[in-house]
Amino acid sequence: AQSVAQPEDQVNVAEGNPLTVKCTYSVSGNPYLFWYVQYPNRGLQFLLKYITGDNLVKGSYGFEAEFNKSQTSFHLKKPSALVSDSALYFCAVKREYGNKLVFGAGTILRVKS
Amino acid sequence: DAGVTQSPTHLIKTRGQHVTLRCSPISGHKSVSWYQQVLGQGPQFIFQYYEKEERGRGNFPDRFSARQFPNYSSELNVNALLLGDSALYLCASSGSGVAQPQHFGDGTRLSIL
């Protein structure tokens, strides 16, 4: 069975500082990993994915994520946070050739000016 | 290009009624998935359809059903509504290929009284 853990309900960071939102996963076989962001009263917006290849993947809006197979982690990062990055972030995993995404419970990111 | 569109945006029903939610995928996308997002939780997988065939089903009761039409749009039907069915229902579409990300609509907010 697949599962995702986002250990922090909320992350607070000052504008201009680097941010990290943590994610660990469990899946049999090769994982397909995704990060999404959700703004209030909106659907989920795709940020980036890891399928294979380089462990550091770059996505939209300056976000990047680092895949670590030994730690089964896929942490989301950004070098310099913006107030507009404040939102709810979800990590998700899918089995290779699988058909469903399994999401974590989400992490609220608050960026203060 | 238009993204995933869902209708209606909001819906209020009473217990025991049934509901039909609609989704139009991104043009060219043949795969549609449905998710239920209860407040404070990550989305939970309900169904996936590809080329009008069900390709996956989550752990939801038989009161939940769906179908996909020749134009790749989709409907989610829920019968005998319960208070616990109150949630945001999200539709996602994806292009061909198992590594393609799912793109989400803004959802239908269903409230059961």
Side-chain angles (χ1 to χ4, degrees):
Chain A
Q2 305 145 243
S3 65
V4 172
Q6 294 182 241
E8 301 153 319
D9 291 337
Q10 183 167 317
V11 170
N12 298 308
V13 63
E15 187 175 32
N17 283 0
L19 70 87
T20 299
V21 182
K22 295 180 180 178
C23 169
T24 59
Y25 67 90
S26 174
V27 67
S28 57
N30 294 320
Y32 290 176
L33 294 157
F34 303 83
W35 275 100
Y36 287 85
V37 60
Q38 187 175 34
Y39 294 97
N41 300 313
R42 300 297 303 273
L44 276 67
Q45 184 176 337
F46 169 71
L47 285 177
L48 50 81
K49 67 179 181 180
Y50 172 83
I51 303 300
T52 187
D54 289 341
N55 289 341
L56 185 64
V57 294
K58 295 186 182 297
S60 306
Y61 312 115
F63 284 95
E64 57 191 26
E66 187 168 11
F67 171 67
N68 187 315
K69 187 172 184 178
S70 62
Q71 297 184 3
T72 61
S73 66
F74 189 56
H75 301 331
L76 180 71
K77 300 181 179 183
K78 188 173 182 181
S80 178
L82 299 173
V83 172
S84 57
D85 292 331
S86 298
L88 180 58
Y89 290 79
F90 289 100
C91 180
V93 67
K94 187 171 77 162
R95 282 189 299 112
E96 187 178 15
Y97 304 113
N99 53 25
K100 73 172 184 178
L101 277 176
V102 173
F103 287 85
T107 298
I108 297 170
L109 174 65
R110 296 203 190 279
V111 182
K112 297 186 177 180
S113 59
Chain B
D1 285 341
V4 177
T5 58
Q6 294 186 242
S7 64
T9 54
H10 294 86
L11 204 51
I12 299 175
K13 293 286 188 179
T14 57
R15 284 176 295 174
Q17 287 188 311
H18 70 273
V19 67
T20 298
L21 311 181
R22 295 177 175 83
C23 171
S24 293
I26 292 172
S27 178
H29 285 187
K30 299 180 180 180
S31 175
V32 169
S33 298
W34 287 94
Y35 292 82
Q36 180 195 66
Q37 186 179 16
V38 174
L39 194 62
Q41 298 181 18
Q44 298 290 317
F45 174 75
I46 309 176
F47 288 110
Q48 187 203 30
Y49 277 78
Y50 180 76
E51 291 278 17
K52 296 176 288 181
E53 292 189 4
E54 183 183 303
R55 294 298 183 94
R57 173 186 284 257
N59 188 25
F60 280 80
D62 292 344
R63 300 185 294 108
F64 288 76
S65 63
R67 55 179 175 167
Q68 187 177 32
F69 299 99
N71 66 354
Y72 304 112
S73 67
S74 179
E75 285 182 354
L76 175 70
N77 295 283
V78 187
N79 294 325
L81 288 165
L82 303 174
L83 292 178
D85 295 331
S86 295
L88 180 67
Y89 288 85
L90 295 164
C91 174
S93 73
S94 58
S96 298
V98 295
Q100 293 301 310
Q102 295 184 15
H103 297 274
F104 287 78
D106 283 341
T108 294
R109 175 72 63 186
L110 176 63
S111 299
I112 310 301
L113 302 180

Tab-separated table of all heavy atoms in Angstrom, chain A residues 37-77:
chain	number	residue	atom	x	y	z
A	37	VAL	N	0.020	22.591	-4.742
A	37	VAL	CA	-0.316	23.686	-3.842
A	37	VAL	C	-1.807	23.990	-3.994
A	37	VAL	O	-2.367	23.884	-5.099
A	37	VAL	CB	0.537	24.941	-4.130
A	37	VAL	CG1	0.339	25.454	-5.558
A	37	VAL	CG2	0.228	26.059	-3.134
A	38	GLN	N	-2.436	24.320	-2.869
A	38	GLN	CA	-3.869	24.645	-2.892
A	38	GLN	C	-4.087	25.981	-2.200
A	38	GLN	O	-3.737	26.144	-1.025
A	38	GLN	CB	-4.683	23.544	-2.199
A	38	GLN	CG	-6.182	23.736	-2.334
A	38	GLN	CD	-6.971	22.568	-1.746
A	38	GLN	OE1	-6.565	21.966	-0.758
A	38	GLN	NE2	-8.107	22.247	-2.363
A	39	TYR	N	-4.685	26.907	-2.927
A	39	TYR	CA	-5.080	28.188	-2.356
A	39	TYR	C	-6.529	28.094	-1.914
A	39	TYR	O	-7.279	27.238	-2.397
A	39	TYR	CB	-4.863	29.299	-3.374
A	39	TYR	CG	-3.388	29.516	-3.686
A	39	TYR	CD1	-2.799	28.934	-4.808
A	39	TYR	CD2	-2.582	30.281	-2.845
A	39	TYR	CE1	-1.451	29.105	-5.084
A	39	TYR	CE2	-1.238	30.452	-3.117
A	39	TYR	CZ	-0.683	29.858	-4.227
A	39	TYR	OH	0.660	30.018	-4.487
A	40	PRO	N	-6.970	28.965	-1.011
A	40	PRO	CA	-8.339	28.878	-0.476
A	40	PRO	C	-9.393	28.834	-1.568
A	40	PRO	O	-9.334	29.607	-2.536
A	40	PRO	CB	-8.444	30.146	0.370
A	40	PRO	CG	-7.049	30.417	0.812
A	40	PRO	CD	-6.195	30.024	-0.356
A	41	ASN	N	-10.317	27.899	-1.409
A	41	ASN	CA	-11.454	27.746	-2.325
A	41	ASN	C	-11.031	27.461	-3.767
A	41	ASN	O	-11.750	27.816	-4.711
A	41	ASN	CB	-12.335	28.994	-2.290
A	41	ASN	CG	-12.878	29.251	-0.904
A	41	ASN	OD1	-13.378	28.362	-0.242
A	41	ASN	ND2	-12.724	30.481	-0.432
A	42	ARG	N	-9.905	26.829	-3.925
A	42	ARG	CA	-9.408	26.457	-5.254
A	42	ARG	C	-9.038	24.985	-5.273
A	42	ARG	O	-8.931	24.314	-4.238
A	42	ARG	CB	-8.186	27.301	-5.634
A	42	ARG	CG	-8.416	28.799	-5.689
A	42	ARG	CD	-9.423	29.178	-6.763
A	42	ARG	NE	-9.056	28.737	-8.086
A	42	ARG	CZ	-8.276	29.435	-8.910
A	42	ARG	NH1	-7.768	30.582	-8.538
A	42	ARG	NH2	-7.998	28.980	-10.119
A	43	GLY	N	-8.822	24.473	-6.482
A	43	GLY	CA	-8.321	23.117	-6.618
A	43	GLY	C	-6.831	23.063	-6.390
A	43	GLY	O	-6.205	24.039	-5.981
A	44	LEU	N	-6.241	21.903	-6.664
A	44	LEU	CA	-4.812	21.714	-6.481
A	44	LEU	C	-4.063	22.122	-7.739
A	44	LEU	O	-4.479	21.790	-8.850
A	44	LEU	CB	-4.511	20.246	-6.161
A	44	LEU	CG	-4.657	19.807	-4.702
A	44	LEU	CD1	-6.107	19.856	-4.266
A	44	LEU	CD2	-4.091	18.421	-4.497
A	45	GLN	N	-2.967	22.813	-7.533
A	45	GLN	CA	-2.147	23.274	-8.649
A	45	GLN	C	-0.827	22.513	-8.642
A	45	GLN	O	-0.118	22.494	-7.631
A	45	GLN	CB	-1.914	24.780	-8.513
A	45	GLN	CG	-1.154	25.419	-9.653
A	45	GLN	CD	-1.072	26.919	-9.473
A	45	GLN	OE1	-1.879	27.530	-8.786
A	45	GLN	NE2	-0.087	27.540	-10.097
A	46	PHE	N	-0.496	21.893	-9.763
A	46	PHE	CA	0.719	21.096	-9.882
A	46	PHE	C	1.960	21.980	-9.815
A	46	PHE	O	2.031	23.010	-10.491
A	46	PHE	CB	0.687	20.334	-11.206
A	46	PHE	CG	1.975	19.672	-11.595
A	46	PHE	CD1	2.425	18.558	-10.909
A	46	PHE	CD2	2.732	20.151	-12.655
A	46	PHE	CE1	3.613	17.942	-11.272
A	46	PHE	CE2	3.912	19.545	-13.031
A	46	PHE	CZ	4.357	18.439	-12.330
A	47	LEU	N	2.943	21.572	-8.980
A	47	LEU	CA	4.199	22.305	-8.853
A	47	LEU	C	5.364	21.584	-9.533
A	47	LEU	O	6.125	22.198	-10.290
A	47	LEU	CB	4.558	22.512	-7.380
A	47	LEU	CG	3.785	23.563	-6.598
A	47	LEU	CD1	4.240	23.563	-5.147
A	47	LEU	CD2	3.946	24.936	-7.223
A	48	LEU	N	5.527	20.303	-9.217
A	48	LEU	CA	6.656	19.573	-9.782
A	48	LEU	C	6.467	18.082	-9.549
A	48	LEU	O	5.614	17.669	-8.765
A	48	LEU	CB	7.986	20.041	-9.169
A	48	LEU	CG	8.095	20.112	-7.647
A	48	LEU	CD1	8.374	18.752	-7.034
A	48	LEU	CD2	9.217	21.081	-7.239
A	49	LYS	N	7.306	17.300	-10.244
A	49	LYS	CA	7.245	15.850	-10.106
A	49	LYS	C	8.637	15.246	-10.173
A	49	LYS	O	9.564	15.831	-10.780
A	49	LYS	CB	6.368	15.245	-11.208
A	49	LYS	CG	6.983	15.392	-12.600
A	49	LYS	CD	6.098	14.760	-13.675
A	49	LYS	CE	6.748	14.912	-15.048
A	49	LYS	NZ	5.910	14.307	-16.127
A	50	TYR	N	8.785	14.080	-9.555
A	50	TYR	CA	9.966	13.247	-9.726
A	50	TYR	C	9.510	11.911	-10.285
A	50	TYR	O	8.655	11.244	-9.698
A	50	TYR	CB	10.700	13.020	-8.399
A	50	TYR	CG	11.804	11.998	-8.557
A	50	TYR	CD1	13.054	12.378	-9.043
A	50	TYR	CD2	11.587	10.663	-8.274
A	50	TYR	CE1	14.056	11.440	-9.232
A	50	TYR	CE2	12.585	9.713	-8.458
A	50	TYR	CZ	13.809	10.106	-8.941
A	50	TYR	OH	14.793	9.179	-9.148
A	51	ILE	N	10.126	11.542	-11.412
A	51	ILE	CA	9.831	10.245	-12.005
A	51	ILE	C	11.090	9.387	-11.990
A	51	ILE	O	11.093	8.270	-11.506
A	51	ILE	CB	9.286	10.400	-13.433
A	51	ILE	CG1	8.040	11.298	-13.425
A	51	ILE	CG2	8.989	9.037	-14.053
A	51	ILE	CD1	6.898	10.780	-12.578
A	52	THR	N	12.144	9.917	-12.538
A	52	THR	CA	13.437	9.247	-12.570
A	52	THR	C	14.492	10.283	-12.900
A	52	THR	O	14.173	11.421	-13.239
A	52	THR	CB	13.430	8.108	-13.603
A	52	THR	OG1	14.643	7.367	-13.505
A	52	THR	CG2	13.329	8.675	-15.013
A	53	GLY	N	15.769	9.914	-12.748
A	53	GLY	CA	16.813	10.846	-13.143
A	53	GLY	C	17.386	11.618	-11.970
A	53	GLY	O	17.515	11.087	-10.859
A	54	ASP	N	17.710	12.878	-12.194
A	54	ASP	CA	18.341	13.712	-11.171
A	54	ASP	C	17.491	13.783	-9.915
A	54	ASP	O	16.264	13.940	-9.988
A	54	ASP	CB	18.567	15.129	-11.690
A	54	ASP	CG	19.663	15.181	-12.744
A	54	ASP	OD1	20.470	14.222	-12.791
A	54	ASP	OD2	19.695	16.155	-13.507
A	55	ASN	N	18.154	13.708	-8.780
A	55	ASN	CA	17.430	13.723	-7.518
A	55	ASN	C	16.856	15.101	-7.191
A	55	ASN	O	15.931	15.203	-6.391
A	55	ASN	CB	18.332	13.270	-6.380
A	55	ASN	CG	18.636	11.792	-6.462
A	55	ASN	OD1	17.923	11.038	-7.126
A	55	ASN	ND2	19.688	11.373	-5.794
A	56	LEU	N	17.400	16.160	-7.758
A	56	LEU	CA	16.888	17.506	-7.543
A	56	LEU	C	16.050	17.897	-8.756
A	56	LEU	O	16.554	17.972	-9.870
A	56	LEU	CB	18.029	18.495	-7.351
A	56	LEU	CG	17.618	19.923	-6.987
A	56	LEU	CD1	16.930	19.958	-5.630
A	56	LEU	CD2	18.831	20.851	-6.994
A	57	VAL	N	14.783	18.131	-8.518
A	57	VAL	CA	13.887	18.509	-9.603
A	57	VAL	C	13.411	19.936	-9.386
A	57	VAL	O	13.180	20.358	-8.253
A	57	VAL	CB	12.679	17.565	-9.719
A	57	VAL	CG1	13.129	16.185	-10.117
A	57	VAL	CG2	11.904	17.503	-8.422
A	58	LYS	N	13.299	20.664	-10.472
A	58	LYS	CA	12.854	22.059	-10.409
A	58	LYS	C	11.433	22.155	-10.967
A	58	LYS	O	11.056	21.431	-11.893
A	58	LYS	CB	13.808	22.956	-11.182
A	58	LYS	CG	15.204	22.992	-10.569
A	58	LYS	CD	16.097	23.989	-11.242
A	58	LYS	CE	17.494	23.968	-10.637
A	58	LYS	NZ	17.491	24.363	-9.204
A	59	GLY	N	10.665	23.063	-10.353
A	59	GLY	CA	9.287	23.204	-10.777
A	59	GLY	C	8.891	24.650	-10.962
A	59	GLY	O	9.723	25.518	-11.196
A	60	SER	N	7.604	24.873	-10.788
A	60	SER	CA	7.036	26.200	-11.009
A	60	SER	C	7.342	27.141	-9.852
A	60	SER	O	7.541	26.702	-8.718
A	60	SER	CB	5.520	26.095	-11.189
A	60	SER	OG	5.174	25.180	-12.196
A	61	TYR	N	7.370	28.446	-10.174
A	61	TYR	CA	7.451	29.515	-9.176
A	61	TYR	C	8.703	29.433	-8.297
A	61	TYR	O	8.674	29.861	-7.141
A	61	TYR	CB	6.194	29.533	-8.300
A	61	TYR	CG	4.918	29.460	-9.100
A	61	TYR	CD1	4.074	28.353	-8.991
A	61	TYR	CD2	4.563	30.458	-9.998
A	61	TYR	CE1	2.917	28.270	-9.737
A	61	TYR	CE2	3.412	30.378	-10.748
A	61	TYR	CZ	2.591	29.281	-10.614
A	61	TYR	OH	1.457	29.192	-11.362
A	62	GLY	N	9.773	28.860	-8.811
A	62	GLY	CA	11.026	28.810	-8.075
A	62	GLY	C	11.142	27.676	-7.078
A	62	GLY	O	12.134	27.586	-6.349
A	63	PHE	N	10.135	26.805	-7.028
A	63	PHE	CA	10.183	25.662	-6.127
A	63	PHE	C	11.038	24.538	-6.710
A	63	PHE	O	11.131	24.384	-7.924
A	63	PHE	CB	8.776	25.131	-5.844
A	63	PHE	CG	8.005	25.977	-4.891
A	63	PHE	CD1	7.137	26.960	-5.354
A	63	PHE	CD2	8.133	25.795	-3.526
A	63	PHE	CE1	6.429	27.748	-4.472
A	63	PHE	CE2	7.423	26.577	-2.631
A	63	PHE	CZ	6.571	27.559	-3.107
A	64	GLU	N	11.633	23.780	-5.819
A	64	GLU	CA	12.385	22.593	-6.192
A	64	GLU	C	12.177	21.542	-5.116
A	64	GLU	O	11.699	21.847	-4.016
A	64	GLU	CB	13.866	22.911	-6.359
A	64	GLU	CG	14.529	23.518	-5.148
A	64	GLU	CD	15.927	24.052	-5.452
A	64	GLU	OE1	16.214	24.409	-6.612
A	64	GLU	OE2	16.728	24.104	-4.505
A	65	ALA	N	12.509	20.302	-5.438
A	65	ALA	CA	12.353	19.230	-4.457
A	65	ALA	C	13.497	18.254	-4.621
A	65	ALA	O	13.994	18.027	-5.731
A	65	ALA	CB	11.017	18.527	-4.631
A	66	GLU	N	13.894	17.675	-3.492
A	66	GLU	CA	15.006	16.737	-3.498
A	66	GLU	C	14.517	15.346	-3.155
A	66	GLU	O	13.941	15.113	-2.082
A	66	GLU	CB	16.076	17.176	-2.498
A	66	GLU	CG	17.342	16.332	-2.561
A	66	GLU	CD	18.487	16.925	-1.785
A	66	GLU	OE1	18.264	17.889	-1.024
A	66	GLU	OE2	19.617	16.423	-1.919
A	67	PHE	N	14.742	14.420	-4.054
A	67	PHE	CA	14.377	13.025	-3.856
A	67	PHE	C	15.525	12.306	-3.165
A	67	PHE	O	16.674	12.397	-3.607
A	67	PHE	CB	14.082	12.370	-5.202
A	67	PHE	CG	13.904	10.877	-5.144
A	67	PHE	CD1	12.811	10.336	-4.489
A	67	PHE	CD2	14.811	10.024	-5.751
A	67	PHE	CE1	12.633	8.963	-4.444
A	67	PHE	CE2	14.640	8.649	-5.700
A	67	PHE	CZ	13.552	8.126	-5.048
A	68	ASN	N	15.222	11.603	-2.076
A	68	ASN	CA	16.228	10.822	-1.362
A	68	ASN	C	15.689	9.416	-1.184
A	68	ASN	O	14.811	9.179	-0.333
A	68	ASN	CB	16.546	11.476	-0.011
A	68	ASN	CG	17.707	10.797	0.695
A	68	ASN	OD1	17.781	9.574	0.749
A	68	ASN	ND2	18.623	11.579	1.223
A	69	LYS	N	16.214	8.496	-1.965
A	69	LYS	CA	15.669	7.138	-1.961
A	69	LYS	C	15.935	6.420	-0.644
A	69	LYS	O	15.059	5.723	-0.127
A	69	LYS	CB	16.259	6.328	-3.121
A	69	LYS	CG	15.632	4.964	-3.298
A	69	LYS	CD	16.111	4.288	-4.555
A	69	LYS	CE	15.397	2.957	-4.767
A	69	LYS	NZ	15.816	2.298	-6.036
A	70	SER	N	17.109	6.610	-0.081
A	70	SER	CA	17.450	5.890	1.150
A	70	SER	C	16.605	6.354	2.333
A	70	SER	O	16.287	5.573	3.224
A	70	SER	CB	18.938	6.053	1.471
A	70	SER	OG	19.248	7.415	1.705
A	71	GLN	N	16.246	7.627	2.322
A	71	GLN	CA	15.397	8.159	3.390
A	71	GLN	C	13.932	8.199	3.000
A	71	GLN	O	13.103	8.655	3.796
A	71	GLN	CB	15.880	9.562	3.791
A	71	GLN	CG	17.293	9.588	4.372
A	71	GLN	CD	17.727	10.949	4.862
A	71	GLN	OE1	16.946	11.910	4.834
A	71	GLN	NE2	18.963	11.072	5.304
A	72	THR	N	13.625	7.730	1.831
A	72	THR	CA	12.254	7.770	1.267
A	72	THR	C	11.615	9.136	1.520
A	72	THR	O	10.500	9.245	2.049
A	72	THR	CB	11.352	6.638	1.819
A	72	THR	OG1	11.220	6.773	3.250
A	72	THR	CG2	11.922	5.279	1.498
A	73	SER	N	12.342	10.171	1.139
A	73	SER	CA	11.844	11.525	1.337
A	73	SER	C	11.811	12.298	0.030
A	73	SER	O	12.531	11.973	-0.921
A	73	SER	CB	12.698	12.271	2.365
A	73	SER	OG	14.010	12.482	1.865
A	74	PHE	N	10.996	13.324	0.028
A	74	PHE	CA	10.842	14.181	-1.161
A	74	PHE	C	10.457	15.566	-0.640
A	74	PHE	O	9.324	16.005	-0.757
A	74	PHE	CB	9.779	13.600	-2.095
A	74	PHE	CG	9.684	14.282	-3.437
A	74	PHE	CD1	10.787	14.395	-4.262
A	74	PHE	CD2	8.470	14.783	-3.888
A	74	PHE	CE1	10.701	15.000	-5.505
A	74	PHE	CE2	8.366	15.397	-5.136
A	74	PHE	CZ	9.489	15.502	-5.942
A	75	HIS	N	11.412	16.260	-0.074
A	75	HIS	CA	11.159	17.559	0.559
A	75	HIS	C	11.082	18.678	-0.464
A	75	HIS	O	11.917	18.762	-1.370
A	75	HIS	CB	12.248	17.877	1.584
A	75	HIS	CG	12.383	16.868	2.687
A	75	HIS	ND1	11.315	16.110	3.141
A	75	HIS	CD2	13.458	16.501	3.427
A	75	HIS	CE1	11.723	15.309	4.112
A	75	HIS	NE2	13.023	15.518	4.301
A	76	LEU	N	10.136	19.565	-0.252
A	76	LEU	CA	9.947	20.727	-1.125
A	76	LEU	C	10.756	21.895	-0.582
A	76	LEU	O	10.745	22.140	0.629
A	76	LEU	CB	8.457	21.097	-1.177
A	76	LEU	CG	8.070	22.282	-2.042
A	76	LEU	CD1	8.218	21.917	-3.524
A	76	LEU	CD2	6.629	22.706	-1.741
A	77	LYS	N	11.421	22.617	-1.468
A	77	LYS	CA	12.290	23.715	-1.031
A	77	LYS	C	12.132	24.921	-1.947
A	77	LYS	O	11.726	24.805	-3.100
A	77	LYS	CB	13.751	23.262	-1.031
A	77	LYS	CG	14.028	22.082	-0.119
A	77	LYS	CD	15.488	21.687	-0.123
A	77	LYS	CE	15.725	20.515	0.811
A	77	LYS	NZ	17.152	20.129	0.896
